[in-house]
Amino acid sequence: YKFLNNIYEQSLYYNEKHKEITTHNINGFVAYFNSGICHRMIGNIKDSLDNFQKALEYAHDESVRIIYNSNYLIYLYLYIYL
């Protein structure tokens, strides 16, 4: 289990670098979405939701927004009620 956390923490480090240099909507979406997944896997639900929300701001394609928004609401529900 410790080994997995290390992988996610390393991924977070590189995603933070990705966020710093991103200039396009799809790059921003990917960086924040991946950070959200890593935070979720580590157990940082609040940080995960914050990153998912920021990724949603970068998603301009309507189909991506609909699918992504439904997933975000599921995680928000889990954060509030579990």
Side-chain angles (χ1 to χ4, degrees), residues 24-33 51-69:
H24 294 83
N25 290 333
I26 191 66
N27 290 334
F29 175 82
V30 169
Y32 282 98
F33 183 80
N51 277 276
F52 284 148
Q53 179 61 41
K54 188 70 175 175
L56 186 57
E57 294 172 16
Y58 280 97
H60 289 287
D61 182 273
E62 190 61 28
S63 60
V64 171
R65 289 178 67 86
I66 290 169
I67 293 167
Y68 182 72
N69 199 28

Side-chain angles (χ1 to χ4, degrees), residues 4-21 31-32 34-39 42 44 51:
L4 287 180
N5 271 356
N6 189 25
I7 289 172
Y8 294 119
E9 289 166 359
Q10 287 177 7
S11 181
L12 280 172
Y13 171 80
Y14 290 110
N15 282 317
E16 289 302 317
K17 295 293 182 190
H18 188 187
K19 289 178 197 178
E20 292 173 10
I21 63 170
Y32 282 98
N34 288 343
S35 290
I37 291 171
C38 291
H39 278 295
I42 292 171
N44 301 334
N51 277 276

